[in-house]
Amino acid sequence: MASPTRRALFSATIFLAACGFAGSLLGGKVAAQSATDESTLRDSMKSFTDVYALVEANYANKLNTDQVDKAIYDGAIPGMLHVLDPHSNFYDPKSYAQMREDQRGKYYGVGMRIQPQNNKIVVVAPMEGTPSYRAGIHPGDVILTVDGKSTDGMDTAAVASLLKGPRGTHVSVTMGREGASKPLTFDLMRDEIPQYSVDVAFMIRPGIGYIHVTNFMETTSREVQTALDKFGPSLQGLLIDLRGNPGGLLNEAVNMSDKFLQKGQIVVSQRARKGVFPDQVYTAPTGSDAKYPIVVLVNRNTASAAEIVSGALQDHDRALIVGETTFGKGLVQTVEPMPENSALALTTYHYYTPSGRLIQRNYNNVSLYDYYYVRNDALPANDTNKEVKLTDSGRTVYGGGGITPDVKIDTPKSTHLEDELLQHRVFFDFSNRWLASHTVTKDFQVDDAVIGQFKQMMVTEKIDYTDQDFADALDWIKASIKSDLLTDQFGQAEGLRVKADWDPMIQKAVTLLPQAQALETSAEKIVAQKGPDRPGN
């Protein structure tokens, strides 16, 4: 383990790299700094190391390794990077390893989603087809020990780390289960566990496909193609749900867009600081002749690569974008490995849509909290502070931060009762107790008897409500009960299908497919009249 002083010097090196002084970090392409700039940066580094030396020598308690790691990895380095922009970031060894695992779309373990509940680590659901699923582990099982080591006092990250390991190795897990007279022990053989970015894809109406894409990792475009192949030639319309998608890999956003655009159409452009990197333009490599209408559903948490897909399909009039104005993350980070298995993600480019819209939202003089959580989604049509661009067919679209939807659909606001039920995990507990003495089929309906037992659990959990509160939330409560029951009985995909069938934003989006068809038909005529030199080609 490196000494505290060495870590302080390492942190100072990161500071110089982030400011562009260490040209080798970016492949030697950073423009040379003036002598004054170099002197200023060296003074800053000396100030940092001087302050750290004083802290190390004089702090009331002797600094231990964990304190040093936290001060540098969680404080000093992220703090100096966030002065530059909200997205430049430093990954310590753990977070860098987790990022790479997320990008690959797989890991080696036993395949269960876990969460803390009442100071215990509880199984949310085993993933279909994994060792946990095949062994018969149930949602609601409490993890007591892993390889004989008690989980008391552990968080989910620590337990997950114990469950992971090389493929083909064994791990013994002891579970507590409601209704079982004694703990159950499972001998599990670790295997490759896929993490899917397309977590649900099905025909939501006859001829209408629905795909939910959670993020963009190495397997995303293949998963989207698998879903399209499953729909087959009967596909007459497509709803792509990108709500809450935080983005991910640029090349996967390009490859997904390629499933719907014509060959050679621009997907996105990257522009760097002049003299640092050359600008780059990404186009659809093979293209598609598919003609069905597309609606893309977005919200305020649709970001980065998901905004690239949304912006490309909107600018080429290939899809109707509906929902809320997206997040507005158009800063591109180059991730460079650093010493000690860490990495620096430094902003090097800006993203632009095919029409030339800047995706990135303004972040000057805005706190990190306000940047991420306090935003105004309203966009008046005559807002002079927004860029005005044109799609291929000449429709007006707005830039200056995020993708503005063609049709605005607000996310429904939850009621106090709904928040209480989720906070107390009433659906999760009800599902476990119900399935202890019942089974359900995929056509299960939540009838009055089920509602009656659910109300009894609400009394047990001391959930206060009025008859009107319950009536107002009844459809949502029924969908949530059925979703949790089918998730427990048949796996996550079945539960998500139930929620999609109920979701009012999805239901509204489906009704807009004729409008999407009219948009595409009109755009084709206008573009054909313009000839081959239309924008975006």
Side-chain angles (χ1 to χ4, degrees):
M1 182 64 69
S3 68
T5 302
R6 180 185 169 192
R7 288 182 180 274
L9 292 172
F10 172 60
S11 182
T13 301
I14 298 292
F15 173 79
L16 290 176
C19 294
F21 180 68
S24 59
L25 175 67
L26 300 179
K29 296 180 181 179
V30 177
Q33 302 288 323
S34 68
T36 301
D37 290 339
E38 290 186 14
S39 176
T40 300
L41 288 168
R42 290 184 185 281
D43 288 345
S44 297
M45 183 176 74
K46 185 176 185 304
S47 296
F48 177 86
T49 53
D50 286 348
V51 168
Y52 190 91
L54 282 171
V55 172
E56 184 183 0
N58 300 302
Y59 187 63
N61 299 316
K62 182 176 176 60
L63 295 178
N64 59 39
T65 299
D66 289 340
Q67 288 174 314
V68 173
D69 283 346
K70 189 170 184 63
I72 293 177
Y73 288 152
D74 296 344
I77 299 175
M80 60 178 114
L81 289 173
H82 288 155
V83 170
L84 303 177
D85 65 77
H87 297 292
S88 288
N89 199 12
F90 176 77
Y91 293 95
D92 63 23
K94 282 187 178 180
S95 59
Y96 184 42
Q98 184 62 53
M99 181 190 73
R100 289 295 301 127
E101 180 179 289
D102 292 341
Q103 288 178 337
R104 286 190 292 267
K106 63 182 180 181
Y107 68 94
Y108 297 104
V110 297
M112 65 175 79
R113 292 187 293 119
I114 59 178
Q115 69 179 17
Q117 185 173 334
N118 300 326
N119 298 318
K120 299 175 182 178
I121 303 299
V122 177
V123 177
V124 176
M127 303 173 192
E128 295 104 302
T130 65
S132 296
Y133 188 87
R134 294 192 297 267
I137 290 174
H138 294 174
D141 286 351
V142 178
I143 302 177
L144 303 176
T145 68
V146 179
D147 279 339
K149 186 173 184 178
S150 172
T151 61
D152 287 347
M154 288 189 183
D155 59 18
T156 54
V159 174
S161 180
L162 292 177
L163 294 172
K164 293 177 182 178
R167 186 177 193 172
T169 58
H170 287 259
V171 59
S172 176
V173 184
T174 300
M175 300 282 194
R177 177 176 296 173
E178 185 168 344
S181 59
K182 60 181 180 179
L184 308 174
T185 299
F186 298 88
D187 178 46
L188 306 174
M189 180 181 290
R190 297 182 178 99
D191 201 351
E192 180 181 300
I193 308 299
Q195 301 187 86
Y196 296 109
S197 55
V198 176
D199 58 357
V200 61
F202 69 105
M203 286 291 194
I204 196 166
R205 298 286 186 275
I208 306 302
Y210 170 81
I211 298 176
H212 182 238
V213 185
T214 61
N215 64 345
F216 286 84
M217 55 190 185
E218 292 176 5
T219 60
T220 299
S221 60
R222 294 200 301 273
E223 292 178 45
V224 170
Q225 186 61 58
T226 297
L228 295 175
D229 291 343
K230 183 176 71 172
F231 295 150
S234 63
L235 187 64
Q236 300 170 12
L238 180 65
L239 175 57
I240 303 173
D241 193 344
L242 297 179
R243 290 175 300 171
N245 187 315
L249 298 176
L250 167 63
N251 64 307
E252 287 301 303
V254 173
N255 291 336
M256 177 174 168
S257 301
D258 184 56
K259 312 294 180 189
F260 312 109
L261 297 178
Q262 298 174 21
K263 181 178 181 179
Q265 285 187 310
I266 293 174
V267 176
V268 68
S269 301
Q270 288 186 166
R271 302 178 195 172
R273 192 177 85 220
K274 188 175 181 180
V276 178
F277 292 114
D279 293 346
Q280 298 183 36
V281 178
Y282 296 87
T283 60
T286 58
S288 169
D289 294 327
K291 295 297 183 183
Y292 47 76
I294 301 173
V295 169
V296 177
L297 187 56
V298 297
N299 66 4
R300 59 190 286 121
N301 294 317
T302 302
S304 192
E307 292 176 289
I308 289 174
V309 174
S310 305
L313 298 186
Q314 186 179 48
D315 282 1
H316 292 303
D317 301 294
R318 183 62 185 93
L320 191 74
I321 310 301
V322 306
E324 301 170 330
T325 299
T326 60
F327 183 86
K329 196 273 189 184
L331 296 180
V332 188
Q333 286 71 53
T334 298
V335 179
E336 293 289 338
M338 299 295 292
E340 301 186 13
N341 296 316
S342 58
L344 173 65
L346 186 65
T347 295
T348 51
Y349 287 97
H350 288 82
Y351 283 136
Y352 291 82
T353 71
S355 67
R357 290 182 287 166
L358 175 65
I359 293 177
Q360 179 60 44
R361 180 162 42 91
N362 177 52
Y363 54 84
N364 293 323
N365 301 315
V366 177
S367 71
L368 273 179
Y369 179 85
D370 286 344
Y371 176 76
Y372 281 103
Y373 301 111
V374 182
R375 307 199 303 278
N376 181 10
D377 293 329
L379 175 62
N382 60 351
D383 189 342
T384 56
N385 294 322
K386 291 288 183 178
E387 295 179 306
V388 176
K389 300 292 183 180
L390 300 177
T391 68
D392 287 359
S393 68
R395 290 189 305 132
T396 298
V397 287
Y398 295 97
I403 303 300
T404 306
D406 300 305
V407 178
K408 184 172 176 57
I409 304 176
D410 292 322
T411 299
K413 296 187 181 300
S414 61
T415 66
H416 176 71
L417 175 59
E418 291 170 1
D419 292 340
E420 284 286 295
L421 291 172
L422 292 175
Q423 181 180 348
H424 288 82
R425 300 187 178 95
V426 178
F427 298 107
F428 184 80
D429 290 340
F430 179 80
S431 177
N432 290 332
R433 296 182 187 180
W434 177 269
L435 291 174
S437 56
H438 301 79
T439 59
V440 297
T441 59
K442 291 183 180 181
D443 60 356
F444 173 82
Q445 297 299 318
V446 178
D447 58 19
D448 290 344
V450 177
I451 289 296
Q453 293 193 37
F454 185 77
K455 285 183 174 180
Q456 291 177 13
M457 174 163 281
M458 292 174 65
V459 172
T460 302
E461 295 291 334
K462 299 180 180 179
I463 305 294
D464 293 327
Y465 68 95
T466 66
D467 289 342
Q468 188 60 51
D469 292 337
F470 197 88
D472 290 342
L474 182 57
D475 288 344
W476 175 81
I477 289 172
K478 286 184 174 181
S480 299
I481 291 173
K482 183 174 180 178
S483 176
D484 272 37
L485 288 172
L486 264 63
T487 296
D488 289 0
Q489 192 79 40
F490 302 106
Q492 182 185 26
E494 287 300 325
L496 291 173
R497 287 184 61 161
V498 172
K499 281 296 184 70
D501 278 329
W502 165 83
D503 191 320
M505 291 186 75
I506 293 176
Q507 302 314 309
K508 175 63 175 176
V510 169
T511 69
L512 294 172
L513 279 164
Q515 187 172 332
Q517 180 66 73
L519 165 66
E520 186 175 10
T521 301
S522 174
E524 285 179 347
K525 293 178 180 178
I526 294 172
V527 169
Q529 292 171 356
K530 288 183 176 182
D533 294 329
R534 63 186 182 274
N537 272 357

